[in-house]
Each structure stands twice: as C-alpha cells, then as structure tokens.
Amino acid sequence: MSPRDLAQDLPPELAPSPVPRRVPATWLLTLLMGLGPFSMQILIPSLPLLAGIFAVPYASAQMTLTVYLVGIALGQLIYGPLSDRFGRRPVLLLGLAVYVLGSLAAFLAPTIGWLALARAAQAAGGCAGMVLTRAIVRDVFPRDQAASKIGFVMMGMTVAPMLAPLLGAELTALFGWRSTMLACTLFGLSLFILALRLPETLAVPQPLPGLTGMAQAYLQLARIRSFRCYAAITTCTTGVFFAFMAGAPKVLMDGLGHTPRSYALAFMAISFAFGAGSFIAGRYSARLGLARMLKIGLVVSTAGAVLGVAGQALLPLSLLVFYLPMTVVALGNGVSQPNAVTAAVSVKPQLAGTASGLVGALQMGFGAVMTLVTGALETGSGVPTAATMAGCAIGAQIALRQVGRAQQQRN
C-alpha cells in the first residue's frame, strides 16, 4: 500500500493530493542513490597510500572509511523525518549542498584527522540521495511495484561503486589522491543542478515537532515487530558487504601482494553480481511477491558466506578463492535488499521517509562496526573476514524466521 492507496480510507480534509504526473526520472534517482556508495568506494584503493603520505598506521587510514559510514548513519536519521515533514525535494537539495562542502574540505585536508572529519560531512550529505530515493519511489508506487522499481534503481546504482574504485586508483596514480575528492566535488555540483528538476512527491506532510517528534516517530516504528525484523535483515546483509570491504584491501595488498588497480578490477565482478541480483529483483518481485524473493536472495547470500569460510579454511589463499564467495553473496544481496527495504518502509507508509532513514542508519552503523571488527581481526589470511561475513549472514536468516513468526501471531 502506498499513500495513494490510503486516500480512500482518509477523511476528505486529510486525503493526500494526487500523485504528481511528473514521475521522477529513473536515471536521476539512480545517480542520487549511487552518490554515497561512489564517494565511499573512490578512496578505498588509496588507503595504504594515505597511511604512508600522512605517516600514520593503516588502521588510522582505514578510519576514513569507518567515519564515512558513521556519517551516513547519522545523516539518514535526520533526513527521513525532515523529508516527511518538509518534503523530499528541499531536504535533498540541502543534503547535496552539505555533500559538496564536505568534498571540498576533503580535497583541502592537511591531516588524516581533517580528512576523516571532512569525509563524515561528505557522507552525511551524500546519504540524502540514498534515503530520499527510496522514499520518493515509495511515494509514487504501490508496495510490490515499489520493490520492483527500487530493484531497477539499485541495479543501475551498481555502476557507481563498480567504477569508483577503478576511477579512484587511476586518478590517484595520475594526479594524486586529492584528485578523487575534486571529482566528488564536481559530481556533487552536477547532481545539485540536476536535482532542481525533481518534482515534490510527498502527498501529506507529517507533523513532526523537533527532536521529540523525531524520537517518537522512531519509537513508533521500533515498536512494530515486523519492521524490526526487516530492518535486521537489511542490516545483517549490509554487514556482510562491509566486513568484506574492510578486509579486502589488506588481504589483497598485504596477503597476496596485489596493487590497488587489481583490487578495483576484481571489485567490478562483485558489482556486476549485485547488479544482476537487483535486475532479478526488479524483474520478478512484482510477479513472484516480495516475501518469496526475499527468501531466495537470503539463501543465495548465506550460501556464498558459508562458501567463503570453507574456501579460506581449506584452500590456499588466492584472488579467486577470496572473491568468488563474495560474488555469490552480492548476487543474493541484490535480490534480497530491494525487497527487504521495501517491506520495511511499507510497514507504516505515512512514515516512509522516517523508516527509510532509520533502516539506512542501522545499515551503515552496523557496517561501521563490522569494519572495526574485521580491521582488528584480519591479518591478511582472509579467514577473519570470511568468518565475520558468515556471522552476519546467519543473523539475517534468524531475522527472516522472526518475520514468519510475527506474521503468524498477527494472523
């Protein structure tokens, strides 16, 4: 059900205005969705180099990734409620402005600490596109159709994080790491100009007075068991991905002796797999139903994570042994995540923006924790990374079982 579906159940004075005839362009939503992941990935191949340039341990350089995730998590907690109150478009433009300023600060950063803070601001601004794209799609389309649409948007979004590491590696090799942050600044400015074309899709603004109102909206969602379960699924499957991202540079460069370019090229296979899964979600979610597609995606993801543990424990470390399981996981995540996110934001459609922000914050917050865990445990063997990924995948399966129990109790 969407706000449009609820219109007939509301009294006339509260009935939402008609959905705008100008549906936002899919290509623009795709670019907005990809801004945060693109900016996160573009600097990862340079982490070992940053440690040398700023004369700090690798763990300190890796904090630029962890802090970025924290910035995304905190930013999403704010954008969702604000967009439910003031509209999607103005809040999106505010976020893009923050992103541009953060990117410029990162470009000028004189120390690793300055860079980390600038990356937090960059993330807090860039995540507006991630939150509000999901909310905009949910504003316009009914539940199962929204899952399909989000699947297509996420399929296109994979192009950004797929190309970002390679672009980052090449820009760093040619012009130094600061050129990556300059590229982000220019990208953000371009998106700000394009976003001026977006129509407003919020049908009924929700009164949300201050921080107290935000807290009440989050508590309202947290009390709903099905929302907690769907949010846990998206959080755990995201944890699998960030555990891999935190461990991969160390495994490839320290354990196997590969270059940043090798990391970027190998990562493209993972992006392709996620894109394929998102295409499957976009093609079949409306036909087969959200619940069935979610189960299929989680089975594939868990199989990939278990394969990773077995491969790292039993076979000699190699690029194929390390990357192939994550490729399987990415395929499953591409199928499951659009459906899990859609289910979460559909639990209470009038708070779709708030729900989207909360889910995104939980994803990134948990992802930040997984980067710290993997970074502390990984020695270059790949085993700690694979074990952390498997633990997250099992958590998603447990959450899925809880969804079934919640539905049985409701019936």
Side-chain angles (χ1 to χ4, degrees):
M1 217 184 264
S2 70
R4 174 176 56 189
D5 303 323
L6 294 172
Q8 59 187 9
D9 299 326
L10 294 174
E13 65 273 14
L14 296 179
S17 58
V19 173
R21 293 182 179 179
R22 272 204 313 136
V23 176
T26 300
W27 64 267
L28 180 52
L29 296 179
T30 299
L31 290 176
L32 291 168
M33 179 82 86
L35 180 62
F38 172 85
S39 307
M40 175 178 60
Q41 294 277 2
I42 197 170
L43 197 61
I44 289 179
S46 301
L47 292 182
L49 179 64
L50 289 175
I53 291 174
F54 290 109
V56 296
Y58 179 79
S60 297
Q62 192 186 49
M63 283 297 294
T64 59
L65 170 61
T66 302
V67 170
Y68 189 94
L69 295 177
V70 172
I72 289 183
L74 295 178
Q76 291 186 95
L77 288 173
I78 298 171
Y79 291 122
L82 288 180
S83 74
D84 285 332
R85 174 63 182 88
F86 298 107
R88 316 304 187 200
R89 184 176 178 274
V91 176
L92 175 62
L93 293 173
L94 173 64
L96 291 174
V98 172
Y99 172 85
V100 171
L101 293 176
S103 299
L104 185 60
F107 170 70
L108 300 172
T111 65
I112 195 70
W114 180 292
L115 178 60
L117 289 176
R119 289 280 282 170
Q122 185 185 45
C127 72
M130 299 168 63
V131 177
L132 299 178
T133 294
R134 295 190 294 250
I136 288 170
V137 170
R138 191 62 189 90
D139 287 341
V140 177
F141 297 99
R143 186 174 184 261
D144 285 343
Q145 194 176 350
S148 178
K149 191 71 171 179
I150 289 177
F152 280 121
V153 170
M154 293 183 75
M155 178 192 68
M157 183 195 72
T158 57
V159 175
M162 177 179 68
L163 297 179
L166 184 59
L167 177 63
E170 296 300 327
L171 285 176
T172 300
L174 293 173
F175 307 109
W177 70 268
R178 293 184 190 276
S179 62
T180 62
M181 296 298 96
L182 180 59
C184 289
T185 304
L186 298 176
F187 187 29
L189 280 173
S190 301
L191 279 183
F192 183 89
I193 295 171
L194 290 171
L196 294 172
R197 303 174 51 187
L198 283 173
E200 179 55 62
T201 61
L202 180 65
V204 181
Q206 299 295 311
L208 211 58
L211 294 176
T212 301
M214 290 184 185
Q216 289 175 347
Y218 287 131
L219 287 174
Q220 190 176 355
L221 289 168
R223 292 190 187 102
I224 304 174
R225 184 175 180 180
S226 58
F227 175 82
R228 296 197 303 268
C229 294
Y230 288 124
I233 291 172
T234 61
T235 296
C236 289
T237 53
T238 301
V240 177
F241 176 72
F242 284 115
F244 176 84
M245 275 199 9
K250 191 169 184 64
V251 173
L252 260 68
M253 297 174 201
D254 292 351
L256 293 171
H258 286 283
T259 64
R261 181 178 295 172
S262 298
Y263 166 86
L265 291 173
F267 192 83
M268 293 178 72
I270 295 173
S271 297
F272 273 121
F274 186 84
S278 297
F279 175 80
I280 293 171
R283 183 72 181 272
Y284 295 105
S285 290
R287 184 184 309 176
L288 300 180
L290 183 150
R292 184 179 299 178
M293 293 297 292
L294 180 56
K295 291 179 181 178
I296 292 172
L298 289 182
V299 167
V300 175
S301 296
T302 305
V306 172
L307 178 65
V309 173
Q312 304 308 317
L314 302 176
L315 299 174
L317 182 63
S318 68
L319 192 66
L320 180 64
V321 169
F322 186 69
Y323 265 83
L324 180 60
M326 185 59 210
T327 304
V328 177
V329 170
L331 177 65
N333 278 6
V335 174
S336 66
Q337 288 216 354
N339 290 283
V341 168
T342 301
V345 301
S346 299
V347 168
K348 201 169 184 63
Q350 61 268 41
L351 291 179
T354 302
S356 178
L358 182 55
V359 169
L362 292 172
Q363 286 179 289
M364 296 303 121
F366 187 72
V369 173
M370 290 303 100
T371 63
L372 292 175
V373 171
T374 307
L377 297 177
E378 184 57 71
T379 60
S381 67
V383 175
T385 299
T388 306
M389 290 167 57
C392 293
I394 292 171
Q397 290 288 349
I398 294 173
L400 181 62
R401 286 182 176 272
Q402 295 301 314
V403 169
R405 292 177 182 176
Q407 292 173 342
Q408 289 175 358
Q409 290 179 357
R410 189 172 58 208
N411 297 331

